[in-house]
Amino acid sequence: HMSQASSLAQEMIEMIRTPTQPFATASSYNNLDTQLPPPPTLIGAPLAHFNRWKNDIAPANPAGGLPQGRGTISVTPVAGLPDLLQVTITVWWQERGPQTLTIVTYVARYG
C-alpha cells in the first residue's frame, strides 16, 4: 500500500499544479481532509480535484482503495518568501497498524 499511497499523494500534487496559475489557486486546497465534507468555499476545479482524490483514496467500493484510507492537504506560506507556498500532502491507511506517508512540495508564484 506504500506505493499506492505515494501515487495518491503525487496525484494531488499534480492536480494542484495543473492550473495556468497554480500559485493563485493553491491556497484553496488548504485544510482539506477526505474524512470531512469540503468547505462551501471550495468550488470549480479544486472541488472536482478534491472529490476525485477523495474517491481514489477511499472509494465507495473499498476493494480498490487504501484500507481505511484518509488524506489531508495543508498549504502554508513560507516565512520571508511571499512568492512561495509549502504544500503538504499526507495519506493514512491501516495495514498491521496505522501507516502514514507525507510528501512536501513547493509552489512558486512565478514559474
Side-chain angles (χ1 to χ4, degrees):
H1 292 109
M2 182 66 75
S3 293
Q4 186 178 8
S6 179
S7 292
L8 288 164
Q10 188 62 39
E11 173 187 18
M12 179 46 73
I13 288 169
E14 294 305 318
M15 286 190 278
I16 289 172
R17 291 179 183 258
T18 56
T20 306
Q21 297 179 351
F23 187 88
T25 60
S27 293
S28 63
Y29 291 90
N30 190 34
N31 293 324
L32 295 180
D33 186 329
T34 60
Q35 290 188 335
L36 301 173
T41 55
L42 190 66
I43 58 172
L47 176 60
H49 292 159
F50 177 71
N51 286 334
R52 175 179 162 194
W53 192 59
K54 182 177 182 175
N55 186 59
D56 289 348
I57 288 175
N61 175 3
L66 292 170
Q68 299 176 20
R70 176 183 179 195
T72 61
I73 307 164
S74 172
V75 180
T76 55
V78 176
L81 298 171
D83 295 328
L84 196 61
L85 296 172
Q86 178 179 304
V87 178
T88 304
I89 309 290
T90 303
V91 178
W92 288 269
W93 70 99
Q94 289 290 327
E95 181 177 27
R96 289 181 236 124
Q99 306 293 318
T100 305
L101 174 106
T102 300
I103 295 180
V104 178
T105 191
Y106 295 88
V107 176
R109 183 181 308 270
Y110 306 105

XYZ file of all heavy atoms in Angstrom:
847
model
N 0.806 -1.208 0.000
C 0.000 0.000 0.000
C 0.851 1.276 0.000
O 0.339 2.346 -0.283
C -0.963 -0.015 1.188
C -2.024 -1.067 1.059
N -2.041 -2.188 1.850
C -3.065 -1.185 0.226
C -3.064 -2.938 1.507
N -3.709 -2.348 0.513
N 2.131 1.140 0.329
C 3.017 2.308 0.324
C 3.106 2.927 -1.075
O 3.031 4.152 -1.223
C 4.413 1.926 0.817
C 5.384 3.081 0.884
S 4.972 4.336 2.089
C 5.414 3.516 3.596
N 3.229 2.103 -2.091
C 3.294 2.613 -3.465
C 1.992 3.290 -3.857
O 1.998 4.347 -4.499
C 3.587 1.481 -4.451
O 4.877 0.981 -4.241
N 0.881 2.707 -3.462
C -0.429 3.289 -3.762
C -0.581 4.640 -3.060
O -1.047 5.603 -3.666
C -1.538 2.328 -3.348
C -2.922 2.789 -3.745
C -3.994 1.782 -3.366
O -3.747 0.793 -2.686
N -5.204 2.043 -3.810
N -0.186 4.710 -1.788
C -0.263 5.973 -1.051
C 0.621 7.033 -1.695
O 0.227 8.195 -1.819
C 0.135 5.749 0.406
N 1.808 6.636 -2.126
C 2.719 7.568 -2.788
C 2.111 8.090 -4.091
O 2.177 9.291 -4.387
C 4.051 6.877 -3.061
O 4.929 7.748 -3.719
N 1.506 7.206 -4.860
C 0.851 7.616 -6.111
C -0.304 8.568 -5.842
O -0.503 9.539 -6.578
C 0.342 6.392 -6.869
O 1.414 5.628 -7.338
N -1.070 8.301 -4.787
C -2.205 9.164 -4.451
C -1.736 10.551 -4.006
O -2.329 11.562 -4.373
C -3.062 8.511 -3.369
C -3.876 7.310 -3.848
C -4.373 6.491 -2.666
C -5.021 7.763 -4.735
N -0.669 10.613 -3.231
C -0.126 11.902 -2.808
C 0.389 12.676 -4.030
O 0.122 13.875 -4.181
C 0.985 11.703 -1.787
N 1.098 11.997 -4.908
C 1.621 12.638 -6.120
C 0.481 13.091 -7.028
O 0.565 14.147 -7.660
C 2.554 11.677 -6.869
C 3.283 12.323 -8.013
C 4.204 13.443 -7.583
O 4.871 13.370 -6.555
N 4.233 14.523 -8.337
N -0.605 12.316 -7.081
C -1.778 12.680 -7.877
C -2.312 14.042 -7.430
O -2.587 14.910 -8.264
C -2.854 11.606 -7.722
C -4.176 11.956 -8.364
C -5.273 10.942 -8.049
O -5.146 10.146 -7.087
O -6.272 10.967 -8.769
N -2.438 14.254 -6.122
C -2.958 15.537 -5.642
C -1.974 16.664 -5.926
O -2.377 17.761 -6.308
C -3.279 15.467 -4.148
C -3.812 16.786 -3.592
S -5.102 17.633 -4.568
C -6.500 16.600 -4.251
N -0.690 16.418 -5.782
C 0.299 17.450 -6.103
C 0.151 17.878 -7.561
O 0.162 19.073 -7.877
C 1.731 16.950 -5.811
C 1.950 16.873 -4.295
C 2.776 17.846 -6.471
C 3.211 16.157 -3.878
N -0.005 16.924 -8.450
C -0.164 17.258 -9.875
C -1.450 18.024 -10.125
O -1.483 18.947 -10.939
C -0.108 15.986 -10.730
C 1.243 15.302 -10.721
C 2.380 16.226 -11.127
O 2.228 17.023 -12.078
O 3.448 16.167 -10.476
N -2.537 17.685 -9.420
C -3.794 18.419 -9.605
C -3.649 19.861 -9.106
O -4.200 20.776 -9.707
C -4.943 17.693 -8.909
C -5.380 16.451 -9.661
S -6.906 15.715 -9.059
C -6.316 14.768 -7.660
N -2.915 20.060 -8.039
C -2.705 21.419 -7.529
C -1.866 22.224 -8.518
O -2.095 23.417 -8.718
C -2.035 21.377 -6.137
C -3.044 20.854 -5.101
C -1.503 22.756 -5.735
C -2.446 20.581 -3.741
N -0.935 21.584 -9.195
C -0.042 22.290 -10.126
C -0.610 22.456 -11.540
O -0.006 23.141 -12.352
C 1.290 21.548 -10.219
C 2.094 21.635 -8.956
C 3.383 20.844 -9.119
N 4.156 20.851 -7.897
C 5.220 21.623 -7.696
N 5.641 22.413 -8.625
N 5.859 21.575 -6.550
N -1.765 21.864 -11.851
C -2.269 21.901 -13.224
C -2.839 23.228 -13.697
O -2.791 23.496 -14.886
C -3.339 20.806 -13.475
O -4.381 20.940 -12.534
C -2.736 19.433 -13.449
N -3.406 24.074 -12.825
C -3.961 25.317 -13.375
C -2.884 26.180 -14.029
O -1.693 26.042 -13.732
C -4.536 26.040 -12.144
C -4.627 25.026 -11.077
C -3.594 23.982 -11.393
N -3.325 27.091 -14.880
C -2.409 28.022 -15.526
C -1.656 28.832 -14.485
O -0.478 29.134 -14.658
C -3.191 28.969 -16.462
O -3.953 28.165 -17.360
C -2.267 29.863 -17.236
N -2.324 29.186 -13.392
C -1.696 29.947 -12.319
C -1.835 29.160 -11.011
O -2.688 29.466 -10.179
C -2.345 31.317 -12.191
C -2.171 32.160 -13.429
C -2.848 33.506 -13.282
O -3.585 33.757 -12.342
N -2.593 34.379 -14.236
N -1.006 28.121 -10.807
C -1.170 27.274 -9.630
C -1.013 28.018 -8.306
O -1.671 27.687 -7.336
C -0.094 26.198 -9.786
C 0.876 26.729 -10.782
C 0.117 27.696 -11.637
N -0.177 29.054 -8.263
C 0.015 29.795 -7.012
C -1.291 30.447 -6.576
O -1.628 30.461 -5.395
C 1.105 30.850 -7.185
C 1.482 31.543 -5.903
C 2.469 31.010 -5.090
C 0.859 32.710 -5.515
C 2.835 31.636 -3.899
C 1.214 33.348 -4.323
C 2.199 32.808 -3.522
N -2.045 30.960 -7.551
C -3.294 31.672 -7.244
C -4.360 30.738 -6.674
O -5.196 31.169 -5.887
C -3.819 32.368 -8.496
N -4.346 29.472 -7.056
C -5.388 28.549 -6.599
C -4.925 27.585 -5.511
O -5.745 26.941 -4.876
C -5.934 27.717 -7.771
O -4.873 26.975 -8.348
C -6.618 28.584 -8.802
N -3.629 27.503 -5.263
C -3.107 26.521 -4.299
C -3.722 26.690 -2.913
O -4.036 25.711 -2.242
C -1.587 26.600 -4.229
N -3.920 27.914 -2.467
C -4.453 28.144 -1.122
C -5.863 27.599 -0.943
O -6.274 27.294 0.172
C -4.440 29.636 -0.795
O -3.108 30.081 -0.693
N -6.611 27.457 -2.031
C -7.971 26.926 -1.904
C -7.964 25.465 -1.450
O -8.968 24.957 -0.963
C -8.741 27.074 -3.217
O -8.126 26.327 -4.235
N -6.827 24.786 -1.568
C -6.714 23.390 -1.147
C -6.348 23.255 0.338
O -6.276 22.156 0.859
C -5.643 22.671 -1.970
C -6.008 22.459 -3.411
C -5.694 23.409 -4.378
C -6.658 21.307 -3.811
C -6.021 23.209 -5.712
C -6.992 21.091 -5.141
C -6.670 22.055 -6.079
O -6.995 21.844 -7.385
N -6.108 24.365 1.026
C -5.643 24.308 2.407
C -6.691 23.712 3.349
O -7.883 23.983 3.223
C -5.255 25.704 2.899
C -4.543 25.657 4.232
O -3.799 24.714 4.514
N -4.756 26.654 5.046
N -6.218 22.910 4.294
C -7.038 22.305 5.341
C -8.131 21.372 4.820
O -9.209 21.300 5.399
C -7.657 23.376 6.249
C -6.609 24.098 7.055
O -5.622 23.503 7.478
N -6.805 25.380 7.252
N -7.856 20.667 3.743
C -8.819 19.693 3.248
C -8.519 18.327 3.847
O -7.360 17.957 4.030
C -8.779 19.617 1.716
C -9.204 20.876 0.980
C -9.111 20.662 -0.523
C -10.610 21.303 1.376
N -9.565 17.590 4.157
C -9.455 16.268 4.770
C -10.507 15.385 4.122
O -11.689 15.752 4.095
C -9.714 16.400 6.283
C -9.497 15.119 7.052
O -9.723 14.025 6.495
O -9.132 15.211 8.238
N -10.094 14.246 3.613
C -11.033 13.373 2.909
C -12.105 12.790 3.825
O -13.094 12.263 3.341
C -10.308 12.225 2.185
O -9.583 11.444 3.145
C -9.377 12.758 1.110
N -11.924 12.883 5.140
C -12.951 12.394 6.062
C -13.975 13.468 6.412
O -14.918 13.195 7.139
C -12.309 11.844 7.333
C -11.568 10.556 7.075
C -11.082 9.895 8.352
O -10.880 10.549 9.364
N -10.891 8.604 8.278
N -13.778 14.660 5.896
C -14.701 15.765 6.157
C -15.289 16.261 4.840
O -14.644 16.169 3.794
C -13.966 16.918 6.842
C -13.286 16.600 8.172
C -12.464 17.798 8.638
C -14.307 16.191 9.204
N -16.488 16.820 4.885
C -17.022 17.407 3.650
C -16.199 18.632 3.261
O -15.666 19.328 4.137
C -18.454 17.797 4.016
C -18.528 17.773 5.496
C -17.408 16.918 6.002
N -16.094 18.895 1.962
C -15.336 20.076 1.539
C -16.057 21.348 1.995
O -17.286 21.366 2.096
C -15.301 19.966 0.021
C -16.425 19.070 -0.336
C -16.649 18.164 0.834
N -15.309 22.398 2.266
C -15.959 23.653 2.666
C -16.760 24.235 1.498
O -16.434 23.993 0.333
C -14.790 24.561 3.045
C -13.621 24.000 2.318
C -13.861 22.522 2.199
N -17.812 25.000 1.791
C -18.628 25.571 0.706
C -17.860 26.538 -0.180
O -18.279 26.823 -1.294
C -19.777 26.280 1.441
C -19.404 26.335 2.869
C -18.317 25.330 3.104
N -16.730 27.033 0.293
C -15.922 27.964 -0.500
C -15.081 27.238 -1.548
O -14.535 27.877 -2.442
C -14.985 28.782 0.411
O -14.195 27.876 1.189
C -15.780 29.693 1.332
N -14.979 25.929 -1.442
C -14.213 25.156 -2.427
C -15.107 24.910 -3.635
O -16.114 24.197 -3.534
C -13.743 23.831 -1.820
C -12.745 23.038 -2.656
C -11.424 23.790 -2.757
C -12.525 21.665 -2.048
N -14.763 25.501 -4.768
C -15.605 25.416 -5.964
C -14.740 25.137 -7.191
O -13.513 25.183 -7.131
C -16.414 26.718 -6.182
C -15.468 27.919 -6.309
C -17.414 26.938 -5.044
C -16.145 29.210 -6.704
N -15.389 24.858 -8.291
C -14.712 24.686 -9.571
C -13.738 23.527 -9.595
O -13.971 22.474 -9.005
N -12.610 23.735 -10.279
C -11.608 22.680 -10.447
C -11.066 22.158 -9.120
O -10.937 20.941 -8.958
C -10.473 23.162 -11.348
N -10.751 23.015 -8.136
C -10.269 22.461 -6.872
C -11.270 21.493 -6.219
O -10.873 20.465 -5.682
C -10.020 23.696 -5.999
C -9.687 24.769 -6.996
C -10.605 24.482 -8.160
N -12.560 21.808 -6.281
C -13.577 20.905 -5.718
C -13.605 19.593 -6.484
O -13.644 18.509 -5.887
C -14.956 21.564 -5.732
C -16.115 20.681 -5.257
C -15.904 20.233 -3.821
C -17.436 21.422 -5.415
N -13.561 19.667 -7.807
C -13.551 18.441 -8.623
C -12.305 17.610 -8.325
O -12.386 16.378 -8.204
C -13.621 18.799 -10.109
N -11.155 18.264 -8.193
C -9.914 17.551 -7.875
C -10.016 16.867 -6.514
O -9.635 15.702 -6.365
C -8.723 18.511 -7.855
C -8.380 19.060 -9.194
N -7.659 20.214 -9.339
C -8.641 18.625 -10.440
C -7.498 20.472 -10.627
N -8.090 19.514 -11.307
N -10.521 17.600 -5.515
C -10.625 17.039 -4.182
C -11.574 15.838 -4.161
O -11.257 14.796 -3.580
C -11.087 18.097 -3.184
C -11.288 17.548 -1.805
C -10.199 17.166 -1.040
C -12.553 17.392 -1.277
C -10.373 16.632 0.231
C -12.741 16.871 -0.018
C -11.648 16.493 0.744
N -12.724 15.972 -4.816
C -13.684 14.860 -4.844
C -13.107 13.635 -5.548
O -13.315 12.506 -5.107
C -14.994 15.296 -5.490
C -15.816 16.179 -4.574
O -15.698 16.108 -3.354
N -16.626 17.034 -5.159
N -12.372 13.857 -6.613
C -11.729 12.741 -7.323
C -10.699 12.061 -6.422
O -10.640 10.838 -6.313
C -11.063 13.245 -8.596
C -10.283 12.192 -9.323
C -9.660 12.729 -10.581
N -8.609 11.838 -11.012
C -7.707 12.154 -11.905
N -7.722 13.337 -12.479
N -6.779 11.296 -12.244
N -9.879 12.873 -5.761
C -8.842 12.346 -4.876
C -9.461 11.583 -3.716
O -9.005 10.508 -3.341
C -7.980 13.504 -4.390
C -6.715 13.134 -3.696
C -5.689 12.384 -4.209
C -6.320 13.509 -2.381
N -4.681 12.281 -3.272
C -5.040 12.960 -2.151
C -6.916 14.268 -1.386
C -4.354 13.145 -0.971
C -6.226 14.458 -0.208
C -4.964 13.895 -0.001
N -10.515 12.150 -3.143
C -11.223 11.503 -2.032
C -11.732 10.132 -2.466
O -11.602 9.154 -1.741
C -12.373 12.399 -1.581
C -13.169 11.883 -0.422
C -14.227 12.905 -0.029
C -15.012 12.441 1.168
N -15.954 13.476 1.639
N -12.301 10.048 -3.645
C -12.816 8.777 -4.159
C -11.685 7.798 -4.465
O -11.843 6.589 -4.301
C -13.674 9.000 -5.403
C -14.334 7.723 -5.846
O -15.095 7.116 -5.085
N -14.043 7.291 -7.061
N -10.539 8.292 -4.891
C -9.402 7.405 -5.164
C -8.814 6.834 -3.873
O -8.354 5.700 -3.842
C -8.307 8.151 -5.938
C -8.693 8.442 -7.376
O -9.704 7.875 -7.856
O -7.996 9.248 -8.011
N -8.815 7.632 -2.804
C -8.271 7.169 -1.529
C -9.220 6.186 -0.851
O -8.810 5.145 -0.355
C -7.968 8.360 -0.596
C -6.737 9.101 -1.117
C -7.743 7.900 0.850
C -6.396 10.356 -0.354
N -10.491 6.539 -0.797
C -11.475 5.700 -0.099
C -12.724 5.576 -0.963
O -13.734 6.226 -0.700
C -11.811 6.298 1.256
N -12.663 4.765 -2.024
C -13.814 4.642 -2.923
C -15.003 3.971 -2.237
O -14.861 3.311 -1.210
C -13.279 3.781 -4.071
C -12.139 3.041 -3.489
C -11.565 3.906 -2.410
N -16.178 4.153 -2.845
C -17.397 3.524 -2.318
C -17.223 2.005 -2.262
O -17.680 1.350 -1.335
C -18.592 3.902 -3.191
N -16.550 1.436 -3.255
C -16.203 0.013 -3.243
C -14.754 -0.061 -2.752
O -13.830 0.156 -3.511
C -16.323 -0.583 -4.642
C -15.858 -2.022 -4.702
O -15.496 -2.616 -3.686
N -15.863 -2.583 -5.890
N -14.551 -0.361 -1.469
C -13.216 -0.250 -0.889
C -12.181 -1.239 -1.419
O -11.018 -1.155 -1.048
C -13.460 -0.470 0.608
C -14.753 -1.180 0.703
C -15.547 -0.788 -0.514
N -12.558 -2.123 -2.316
C -11.601 -3.100 -2.838
C -10.414 -2.426 -3.530
O -9.305 -2.930 -3.497
C -12.295 -4.056 -3.797
N -10.620 -1.252 -4.134
C -9.534 -0.599 -4.862
C -8.808 0.474 -4.081
O -7.797 0.991 -4.523
N -9.322 0.843 -2.910
C -8.718 1.930 -2.153
C -7.777 1.433 -1.076
O -7.538 0.237 -0.923
N -7.257 2.366 -0.333
C -6.407 2.034 0.807
C -7.306 1.583 1.966
O -8.367 2.149 2.178
C -5.600 3.256 1.246
C -4.537 3.733 0.279
C -3.993 5.088 0.728
C -3.421 2.719 0.179
N -6.878 0.587 2.738
C -7.691 0.159 3.880
C -7.848 1.307 4.887
O -6.860 1.826 5.380
C -6.897 -0.997 4.490
C -5.852 -1.360 3.491
C -5.663 -0.191 2.594
N -9.082 1.721 5.113
C -9.402 2.840 5.993
C -8.609 4.078 5.590
O -8.075 4.809 6.430
C -9.157 2.472 7.458
C -10.015 1.322 7.919
C -9.701 0.897 9.344
O -9.134 1.644 10.118
N -10.077 -0.321 9.676
N -8.521 4.331 4.287
C -7.716 5.431 3.754
C -8.235 6.807 4.110
O -9.432 7.024 4.264
N -7.300 7.704 4.234
C -7.600 9.103 4.540
C -6.485 9.970 3.970
O -5.325 9.567 3.943
C -7.655 9.293 6.052
C -7.865 10.727 6.485
C -7.822 10.840 7.988
N -8.013 12.221 8.394
C -7.743 12.666 9.593
N -7.256 11.854 10.520
N -7.941 13.928 9.891
N -6.832 11.174 3.525
C -5.830 12.102 3.028
C -6.099 13.512 3.504
O -7.256 13.901 3.684
N -5.032 14.273 3.735
C -5.172 15.676 4.107
C -4.220 16.525 3.275
O -3.201 16.045 2.777
C -4.866 15.921 5.602
O -3.523 15.553 5.875
C -5.826 15.162 6.499
N -4.591 17.794 3.151
C -3.782 18.762 2.405
C -3.617 20.003 3.263
O -4.588 20.503 3.832
C -4.462 19.158 1.076
C -4.813 17.920 0.258
C -3.582 20.123 0.287
C -5.801 18.191 -0.853
N -2.391 20.495 3.338
C -2.098 21.733 4.053
C -1.273 22.616 3.125
O -0.308 22.154 2.533
C -1.312 21.423 5.334
O -0.872 22.610 5.936
N -1.676 23.863 2.994
C -0.945 24.832 2.175
C -0.616 26.014 3.068
O -1.516 26.658 3.613
C -1.783 25.294 0.962
C -1.008 26.302 0.125
C -2.223 24.108 0.116
N 0.677 26.291 3.238
C 1.096 27.383 4.120
C 2.123 28.269 3.429
O 2.961 27.784 2.669
C 1.707 26.841 5.433
O 2.780 25.954 5.114
C 0.676 26.091 6.251
N 2.068 29.568 3.705
C 3.092 30.471 3.168
C 4.442 30.151 3.801
O 4.518 29.716 4.948
C 2.623 31.861 3.594
C 1.232 31.696 4.104
C 1.050 30.265 4.472
N 5.495 30.366 3.056
C 6.844 30.179 3.567
C 7.307 31.514 4.142
O 7.297 32.533 3.444
C 7.798 29.686 2.455
C 9.221 29.589 2.961
C 7.320 28.345 1.908
N 7.688 31.501 5.419
C 8.093 32.730 6.102
C 9.219 33.441 5.355
O 10.224 32.827 4.996
C 8.542 32.411 7.529
N 9.009 34.713 5.107
C 10.032 35.525 4.457
C 10.079 35.387 2.947
O 10.858 36.072 2.295
N 9.276 34.486 2.384
C 9.259 34.288 0.927
C 7.813 34.385 0.430
O 7.121 33.380 0.278
C 9.857 32.922 0.565
C 11.320 32.721 0.956
C 11.736 31.278 0.752
C 12.214 33.653 0.158
N 7.337 35.591 0.158
C 5.934 35.777 -0.200
C 5.510 35.135 -1.518
O 4.325 35.001 -1.776
C 5.770 37.297 -0.250
C 7.147 37.807 -0.504
C 8.084 36.843 0.153
N 6.465 34.727 -2.323
C 6.140 34.116 -3.611
C 6.266 32.598 -3.581
O 6.404 31.961 -4.624
C 7.044 34.683 -4.705
C 6.791 36.161 -4.941
O 5.631 36.590 -4.767
O 7.735 36.885 -5.279
N 6.207 32.004 -2.374
C 6.376 30.560 -2.248
C 5.381 30.004 -1.230
O 5.202 30.561 -0.149
C 7.807 30.249 -1.802
C 8.310 28.828 -1.970
C 8.315 28.407 -3.442
C 9.709 28.691 -1.387
N 4.726 28.902 -1.609
C 3.803 28.187 -0.724
C 4.317 26.772 -0.500
O 4.783 26.123 -1.442
C 2.401 28.109 -1.335
C 1.669 29.426 -1.540
C 0.388 29.202 -2.339
C 1.357 30.090 -0.208
N 4.210 26.307 0.723
C 4.550 24.913 1.038
C 3.272 24.100 1.017
O 2.285 24.454 1.665
C 5.195 24.814 2.411
C 5.521 23.375 2.799
C 6.184 23.301 4.159
O 7.194 23.930 4.388
N 5.589 22.531 5.055
N 3.274 23.011 0.266
C 2.120 22.114 0.164
C 2.509 20.782 0.793
O 3.488 20.155 0.379
C 1.703 21.912 -1.313
C 0.526 20.947 -1.408
C 1.374 23.242 -1.974
N 1.737 20.370 1.805
C 1.984 19.103 2.490
C 0.798 18.184 2.269
O -0.336 18.538 2.596
C 2.195 19.331 4.002
O 3.259 20.274 4.179
C 2.532 18.032 4.708
N 1.073 17.031 1.683
C 0.049 16.015 1.431
C 0.356 14.831 2.339
O 1.473 14.307 2.320
C 0.094 15.519 -0.046
C 0.078 16.696 -1.036
C -1.007 14.511 -0.312
C -1.193 17.445 -1.128
N -0.640 14.407 3.111
C -0.464 13.250 3.982
C -1.550 12.232 3.682
O -2.721 12.592 3.544
C -0.521 13.656 5.470
O 0.474 14.657 5.708
C -0.255 12.469 6.377
N -1.131 10.983 3.554
C -2.057 9.879 3.298
C -1.891 8.858 4.423
O -0.762 8.479 4.744
C -1.791 9.216 1.921
C -2.723 8.041 1.683
C -1.918 10.253 0.804
N -2.994 8.456 5.028
C -3.010 7.447 6.089
C -3.764 6.219 5.616
O -4.667 6.322 4.786
C -3.773 7.949 7.319
C -3.125 8.998 8.123
C -2.300 8.813 9.189
C -3.265 10.400 7.986
N -1.924 10.023 9.716
C -2.505 11.015 8.986
C -3.963 11.213 7.093
C -2.427 12.394 9.140
C -3.881 12.580 7.235
C -3.115 13.161 8.248
N -3.415 5.069 6.187
C -4.157 3.839 5.965
C -3.809 2.854 7.082
O -2.891 3.080 7.859
C -3.867 3.250 4.583
C -2.494 2.687 4.416
C -2.121 1.372 4.500
C -1.281 3.404 4.128
N -0.778 1.232 4.293
C -0.225 2.473 4.062
C -0.984 4.752 3.931
C 1.085 2.834 3.807
C 0.324 5.114 3.686
C 1.345 4.163 3.615
N -4.571 1.766 7.139
C -4.352 0.720 8.144
C -3.771 -0.518 7.468
O -4.326 -1.004 6.488
C -5.672 0.334 8.835
C -6.208 1.384 9.760
C -5.360 1.544 11.008
O -4.778 0.600 11.516
N -5.285 2.770 11.500
N -2.658 -0.964 7.979
C -2.032 -2.193 7.490
C -1.117 -2.694 8.611
O -0.026 -2.170 8.795
C -1.226 -1.910 6.217
C -0.570 -3.130 5.643
C 0.160 -2.826 4.349
O 0.598 -1.671 4.128
O 0.284 -3.754 3.559
N -1.624 -3.631 9.376
C -0.906 -4.069 10.582
C -0.581 -2.872 11.466
O 0.543 -2.687 11.908
C 0.353 -4.849 10.226
C 0.043 -6.221 9.658
C 1.309 -6.997 9.341
N 1.214 -7.351 7.938
C 2.096 -7.053 7.008
N 3.196 -6.428 7.313
N 1.908 -7.404 5.771
N -1.561 -2.018 11.663
C -1.394 -0.791 12.429
C -1.461 0.418 11.509
O -1.493 0.284 10.284
N -1.495 1.596 12.086
C -1.595 2.813 11.261
C -0.315 3.083 10.472
O 0.785 2.924 10.987
C -1.861 3.921 12.285
C -1.471 3.358 13.608
C -1.517 1.866 13.505
N -0.500 3.477 9.235
C 0.605 3.817 8.329
C 0.388 5.237 7.817
O -0.749 5.661 7.615
C 0.664 2.849 7.145
C 0.738 1.384 7.525
C 2.037 1.028 8.210
O 3.104 1.479 7.804
N 1.952 0.246 9.275
N 1.474 5.951 7.565
C 1.397 7.329 7.092
C 2.476 7.593 6.058
O 3.602 7.131 6.203
C 1.604 8.323 8.259
O 0.674 8.049 9.282
C 1.431 9.752 7.799
N 2.108 8.358 5.041
C 3.072 8.833 4.054
C 2.831 10.330 3.893
O 1.693 10.748 3.701
C 2.881 8.134 2.706
C 3.780 8.706 1.615
C 4.900 7.743 1.311
C 2.980 9.038 0.394
N 3.883 11.138 3.989
C 3.776 12.577 3.831
C 4.747 13.036 2.750
O 5.922 12.639 2.758
C 4.085 13.303 5.154
O 3.148 12.878 6.138
C 3.993 14.820 4.990
N 4.245 13.867 1.853
C 5.086 14.471 0.817
C 4.926 15.988 0.921
O 3.813 16.498 1.019
C 4.687 13.999 -0.599
C 4.953 12.502 -0.752
C 5.440 14.793 -1.667
C 4.602 11.939 -2.100
N 6.056 16.681 0.917
C 6.072 18.144 0.968
C 6.656 18.648 -0.336
O 7.690 18.159 -0.801
C 6.911 18.644 2.167
C 6.973 20.173 2.177
C 6.347 18.122 3.475
N 5.992 19.634 -0.922
C 6.493 20.264 -2.133
C 6.219 21.757 -2.030
O 5.606 22.222 -1.075
C 5.845 19.651 -3.397
O 6.540 20.119 -4.550
C 4.370 19.999 -3.514
N 6.662 22.508 -3.010
C 6.504 23.954 -3.002
C 5.902 24.416 -4.318
O 6.180 23.845 -5.368
C 7.846 24.646 -2.752
C 8.383 24.329 -1.381
C 9.175 23.209 -1.172
C 8.052 25.114 -0.296
C 9.646 22.885 0.093
C 8.509 24.800 0.976
C 9.298 23.689 1.158
O 9.734 23.373 2.416
N 5.093 25.477 -4.240
C 4.521 26.091 -5.426
C 4.966 27.546 -5.415
O 4.751 28.269 -4.437
C 2.976 26.008 -5.414
C 2.382 26.737 -6.604
C 2.515 24.553 -5.388
N 5.611 27.951 -6.505
C 6.108 29.327 -6.624
C 5.142 30.175 -7.431
O 4.448 29.671 -8.324
C 7.475 29.333 -7.285
N 5.129 31.461 -7.119
C 4.246 32.378 -7.854
C 4.666 32.468 -9.321
O 3.834 32.524 -10.213
C 4.305 33.771 -7.223
C 3.351 34.753 -7.882
C 3.419 36.144 -7.280
N 3.287 36.186 -5.850
C 2.136 36.305 -5.187
N 1.002 36.356 -5.847
N 2.134 36.356 -3.866
N 5.963 32.442 -9.575
C 6.446 32.596 -10.955
C 7.248 31.366 -11.328
O 8.269 31.077 -10.721
C 7.318 33.845 -11.075
C 6.635 35.073 -10.572
C 6.978 35.638 -9.351
C 5.590 35.643 -11.286
C 6.333 36.757 -8.870
C 4.929 36.760 -10.822
C 5.305 37.315 -9.611
O 4.664 38.412 -9.130
N 6.760 30.649 -12.335
C 7.478 29.510 -12.887
C 7.792 28.474 -11.894
O 8.450 27.565 -11.961
